[in-house]
Amino acid sequence: MRDPRYDILFEPVKIGPVTARNRFFQVPHCNGMGYRDPTALATMRGIKAEGGWAVVCTEQVEFHYSSDITPFIELRLWDDRDVPMLARMVDKIHEHGSLAGIELAYNGMNGPNLYGREVPMGPAHLPVATFTYEPVQARRMDKADIANLRRWHRQAALRARTAGFDLVYVYAAHALGFLHHFLSRRYNDRTDEYGGSLENRIRLMREITQDTKEAVGATCAVPLRISLDELMGEGGLYKEEVEDMIGLMAELPDLWDVTIAGWENDSRTSRFAEEGHEEPFIKHVKRLTTKPVVGVGRYTSPDAMVRIVKSGLVDLIGAARPSIADPFLPKKIEEGRLEDIRECIGCNICVSGDFSSAPIRCTQNPTMGDEWRRGWHPERIRARESEARVLIVGGGPSGLECAQALGKRGYGVVIAEAGTSLGGRVTREAKLPGLAAWARVRDYRLQQLHQLPNVETYFDSSLTADDVLGFGFEHVVVATGARWRGDGVGHQHTRPVRFEAPILTPDDLMEGKRPVGRTVVVWDDDHYYMGSVLAELLAGEGYSVTYVTPAAEVATWTRATMEQHFIQARLIETGIAIRTGLTLTAAANGEAQFACIYTRRPSTLPCDAIIPVTGRLPNESLFLALDAHRANWRDAGILSVTAIGDARAPATIAHAVHAGRRFAEELDAPPITGDTVPFKREIAGLEDW
Ligand code: ADP
Ligand code: SF4
């Protein structure tokens, strides 16, 4: 059972009129499900409560129709008709004895109001602050607007109480809403009593907090969420100034929830921030108030959690991503099962769901977002339904997840791995600059496999179709991964490019090969992390590197993981030359040739070698050979052969892990024919017309 060192994490914490049963606090986090998938969302939050989080919060909840955050899909509380959807979530959270928190949000000048078509409002006349530079401006709020907004927040707080919430947030963080905008001189140029001095800039936050306490404070706690720094010096909110603000309102809220702004700084990927990276910002807050404090820092280590509570940094361990990767993190600490914790790897694939308005997914936790839709549970899986044995060829993330999930179901499983270690691409990629935490995908699964005597692993086993046919397993899973292409085929070129220059693929570099000369071009037509990471690797080894992409910026897809800005900065700081808007057309005689993607105008760069980071090809020869032997399957005792993960179609590690889980969940279930939708979804209720 629980190690007494961790007892402190299980002490109750009083938050205004309510009490959290322990110190584990799932802070608000977006999930791309929101009002479109309310039951899926309620189920996901309920599982967090089941996993031991004493407080489970919503994402930001739009509380008035005059500020929507379209195209992002969050929850809504525009009128009474939204209450049942929220109450369903509250009920799920209460079922497990946890407190439910709601983050009331009015995005103001963060939202162009694409849905409601109202004119956005903020402290000043300014262009709306979106990621896409919408050609829309927010208008300066007048006194009547402020009075209205206070009334709307109060009405929303009352509705939140009706829905059953125990904590009703005042949200003033992340530069994502009107209150933050009033606090920060970046946005607030007012000359009335809501602008100028610190007292004036916090006036609206104080009034809204007082309103909320008066409305619901007798039964609901009222946390105040604020950002301690915008990381732009005195041009934005900065630590000392925000500490003064907290000092001025120290005892008014029931809880201080402290973050840094913007969201990309708060939820930095592991490539750009370590566990606990916010501690220097948080460290003085508890001296300013007697109210409990919650802060985040992607904490997955219980020792670190104990340290930050004992040292007086925080009272509650805030977590979004660690609770996504492992909804049962608190329970596992409580039950003394630390080795079973599925540690967040800090990749922000979860964030990419929100950015693409798609249900949240997680690299480490393949059940995330599929709890209700597919009936998956992060810790439970139904027992096997046959005596069938399964051969898994390949021990990468898809094979390992498949093996551990099938093993937990009770099937006899053999993993045959061609190499001498497990983890596949994760093991290789974790050695690249900044990606060490990715090895956790392998490590969690190996830890699970150690506990499963019914799963055996064989190394140095590069299997052929004849080998597989000779073994007599009923089910064969081909999880043989993929290899990077060396012929330039990717988004730009759908036919091979003729290279007459030395080519090294990402696999070559990961296998230790290096260019002969010192001048290299990394041609990134993949647009995720690999191109920039390899550029960093080679620059770090003293190569002169030019990073070239047809996109307008480095690693453009990483906008969805909120890393793009950091990656571009790192490449610039590392001295890597960056060329954008160029397509690689040929390479010969020590030169790479390019065409401008807009004008086709040619240009050249000197280079000794080209690193094309473009598409990948599945390692499907084994699968195709087995498929060609279908007629022999019956004699060999084979019922099914399935390619999963990168061996089926290369994608992210999250896709591979999900594919492994999916095979394990669906084995011996009624076959999916494709004629019906194989997951649950909600259909909007039709109005009378
Ligand atoms: P995924 O992301 O789909 O899990 P990976 O590329 O990470 O794919 O892993 C594939 C694994 O399969 C690698 O460890 C590789 O060594 C192994 N492998 C590839 N072909 C064979 C084969 N014919 N027999 C056994 N193992 C194989
Ligand atoms: Fe952590 Fe990545 Fe999962 Fe997000 S997707 S919770 S960052 S492992």
Side-chain angles (χ1 to χ4, degrees):
M1 288 308 279
R2 182 167 92 214
D3 185 326
R5 274 186 300 163
Y6 305 132
D7 285 354
I8 192 170
L9 301 175
F10 293 89
E11 290 169 354
V13 179
K14 196 163 160 19
I15 311 173
V18 300
T19 301
R21 70 178 193 274
N22 61 39
R23 296 186 189 268
F24 292 93
F25 192 114
Q26 183 242 277
V27 292
H29 73 75
C30 298
N31 52 78
M33 298 200 279
Y35 64 82
R36 187 193 51 212
D37 299 298
T39 303
L41 179 49
T43 309
M44 181 269 274
R45 300 288 189 203
I47 284 177
K48 303 270 195 92
E50 185 191 350
W53 299 87
V55 181
V56 177
C57 296
T58 60
E59 62 272 42
Q60 46 171 304
V61 179
E62 296 169 359
F63 70 75
H64 194 260
Y65 73 90
S66 64
S67 181
D68 66 75
I69 192 70
T70 313
F72 296 92
I73 297 188
E74 318 291 336
L75 278 167
R76 286 183 173 157
L77 187 47
W78 289 0
D79 62 24
D80 289 343
R81 297 197 312 160
D82 294 312
V83 170
M85 182 184 286
L86 289 157
R88 177 167 290 190
M89 176 191 296
V90 171
D91 290 347
K92 279 283 170 200
I93 295 167
H94 284 172
E95 253 175 45
H96 300 283
S98 300
L99 300 173
I102 182 169
E103 184 178 71
L104 296 177
Y106 190 92
N107 287 87
M109 54 171 291
N110 276 125
N113 287 342
L114 300 173
Y115 188 88
R117 303 187 70 168
E118 298 291 335
V119 175
M121 304 192 289
H125 285 299
L126 277 173
V128 293
T130 61
F131 302 104
T132 46
Y133 299 109
E134 288 283 341
V136 170
Q137 287 214 181
R139 68 175 176 81
R140 186 190 296 279
M141 291 165 71
D142 62 20
K143 295 290 165 50
D145 296 320
I146 289 175
N148 285 339
L149 199 39
R150 287 180 59 181
R151 195 176 66 255
W152 297 337
H153 196 281
R154 189 173 188 284
Q155 288 167 351
L158 291 169
R159 288 193 178 102
R161 188 180 65 184
T162 304
F165 284 99
D166 309 287
L167 291 84
V168 179
Y169 263 78
V170 173
Y171 184 41
H174 294 133
L176 282 179
F178 75 110
L179 285 176
H180 182 118
H181 301 140
F182 270 84
L183 295 184
S184 173
R185 274 175 304 206
R186 269 175 85 202
Y187 308 104
N188 185 347
D189 65 351
R190 301 175 76 95
T191 51
D192 63 4
E193 67 268 37
Y194 290 98
S197 69
L198 214 62
E199 268 290 359
N200 282 356
R201 281 182 282 134
I202 69 166
R203 186 177 308 279
L204 189 51
M205 180 166 81
R206 185 198 292 280
E207 288 172 348
I208 294 262
T209 310
Q210 280 164 342
D211 294 343
T212 311
K213 288 206 70 162
E214 276 163 31
V216 300
T219 54
C220 303
V222 178
L224 178 48
R225 195 169 207 207
I226 193 167
S227 290
L228 291 161
D229 212 305
E230 291 186 283
L231 307 188
M232 43 183 64
E234 296 192 6
L237 286 175
Y238 57 96
K239 183 168 163 283
E240 291 72 18
E241 181 185 48
V242 177
E243 285 173 355
D244 287 345
M245 290 177 179
I246 293 174
L248 288 168
M249 284 181 54
E251 303 302 313
L252 187 55
D254 295 313
L255 169 76
W256 285 95
D257 178 337
V258 290
T259 64
I260 52 179
W263 182 19
E264 69 285 2
N265 287 319
D266 204 26
S267 292
R268 278 199 199 199
T269 56
S270 55
R271 191 172 165 190
F272 295 98
E274 298 290 330
E275 178 176 293
H277 72 104
E278 303 196 17
E279 289 181 21
F281 298 95
I282 305 173
K283 68 177 179 202
H284 294 136
V285 175
K286 270 191 63 64
R287 289 191 211 149
L288 305 170
T289 175
T290 65
K291 301 290 176 166
V293 173
V294 62
V296 292
R298 205 166 44 76
Y299 293 102
T300 56
S301 143
D303 292 306
M305 296 175 192
V306 168
R307 176 179 56 74
I308 60 172
V309 173
K310 281 200 171 155
S311 65
L313 202 78
V314 293
D315 301 283
L316 293 142
I317 310 296
R321 291 174 294 173
S323 77
I324 294 168
D326 198 338
F328 274 59
L329 190 150
K331 265 237 153 86
K332 289 174 182 175
I333 299 173
E334 190 166 27
E335 292 172 359
R337 296 194 292 124
L338 303 192
E339 67 286 355
D340 289 335
I341 294 174
R342 210 167 31 247
E343 291 185 286
C344 168
I345 70 166
C347 62
N348 279 6
I349 284 292
C350 47
V351 174
S352 77
D354 191 49
F355 269 73
S356 43
S357 304
I360 187 169
R361 65 207 84 142
C362 168
T363 303
Q364 273 285 52
N365 174 10
T367 68
M368 179 50 51
D370 270 334
E371 299 88 346
W372 178 76
R373 299 192 327 151
R374 294 183 201 269
W376 295 1
H377 189 280
E379 300 303 314
R380 287 193 296 276
I381 186 162
R382 70 190 191 290
R384 73 190 156 119
E385 284 146 327
S386 74
E387 299 291 316
R389 291 172 320 132
V390 185
L391 171 66
I392 298 174
V393 188
S398 62
L400 290 181
E401 173 62 20
C402 192
Q404 72 95 20
L406 284 172
K408 286 178 180 165
R409 288 191 64 187
Y411 288 96
V413 179
V414 165
I415 304 173
E417 165 55 49
T420 52
S421 63
L422 292 171
R425 63 179 288 191
V426 161
T427 297
R428 289 200 304 276
E429 293 179 21
K431 295 183 188 126
L432 296 172
L435 303 187
W438 296 27
R440 292 173 169 186
V441 173
R442 173 199 63 204
D443 296 344
Y444 164 72
R445 288 167 179 84
L446 293 192
Q447 185 58 41
Q448 300 305 295
L449 292 178
H450 284 319
Q451 301 169 44
L452 293 166
N454 49 329
V455 182
E456 292 173 82
T457 304
Y458 294 92
F459 292 103
D460 286 321
S461 305
S462 182
L463 300 190
T464 63
D466 284 342
D467 296 332
V468 174
L469 289 166
F471 288 150
F473 286 85
E474 284 83 353
H475 299 284
V476 179
V477 177
V478 180
T480 47
R483 284 193 73 77
W484 288 93
R485 303 180 69 129
D487 59 4
V489 171
H491 293 273
Q492 286 285 310
H493 299 295
T494 52
R495 293 273 189 277
V497 183
R498 277 173 57 89
F499 292 126
E500 288 159 32
I503 297 292
L504 279 93
T505 67
D507 291 312
D508 292 333
L509 292 180
M510 285 189 275
E511 284 157 16
K513 295 193 190 115
R514 289 293 179 270
V516 174
R518 302 310 289 172
T519 307
V520 295
V521 164
V522 175
W523 153 246
D524 187 1
D525 193 22
D526 169 57
H527 308 284
Y528 192 14
Y529 56 91
M530 185 57 80
S532 61
V533 165
L534 293 179
E536 241 188 286
L537 173 80
L538 292 172
E541 293 178 4
Y543 290 89
S544 164
V545 182
T546 306
Y547 170 99
V548 187
T549 175
E553 61 191 1
V554 171
T556 189
W557 190 78
T558 62
R559 282 181 168 254
T561 55
M562 301 196 301
E563 290 171 288
Q564 196 285 323
H565 182 88
F566 298 121
I567 296 175
Q568 187 119 10
R570 180 166 290 175
L571 262 53
I572 294 169
E573 298 294 350
T574 312
I576 295 166
I578 297 169
R579 303 285 302 273
T580 58
L582 294 178
T583 266
L584 180 64
T585 51
N589 307 324
E591 268 187 359
Q593 294 163 25
F594 298 94
C596 168
I597 61 158
Y598 309 105
T599 64
R600 310 309 297 173
R601 189 170 296 156
S603 58
T604 58
L605 279 173
C607 75
D608 299 317
I610 292 181
I611 319 293
V613 185
T614 57
R616 284 177 284 163
L617 278 173
N619 295 326
E620 60 184 351
S621 56
L622 176 63
F623 175 74
L624 294 177
L626 286 167
D627 201 48
H629 282 91
R630 264 178 187 273
N632 307 106
W633 286 9
R634 181 194 279 262
D635 289 347
I638 294 178
L639 300 173
S640 76
V641 177
T642 312
I644 64 166
D646 290 335
R648 185 154 191 236
T652 64
I653 300 165
H655 284 78
V657 172
H658 190 269
R661 180 70 176 211
R662 186 166 175 190
F663 180 89
E665 292 274 357
E666 292 176 358
L667 184 61
D668 288 328
I672 291 174
T673 61
D675 295 336
T676 52
V677 181
F679 52 83
K680 289 197 271 188
R681 66 196 173 119
E682 265 163 333
I683 307 281
L686 292 179
E687 290 293 301
D688 293 337
W689 66 322

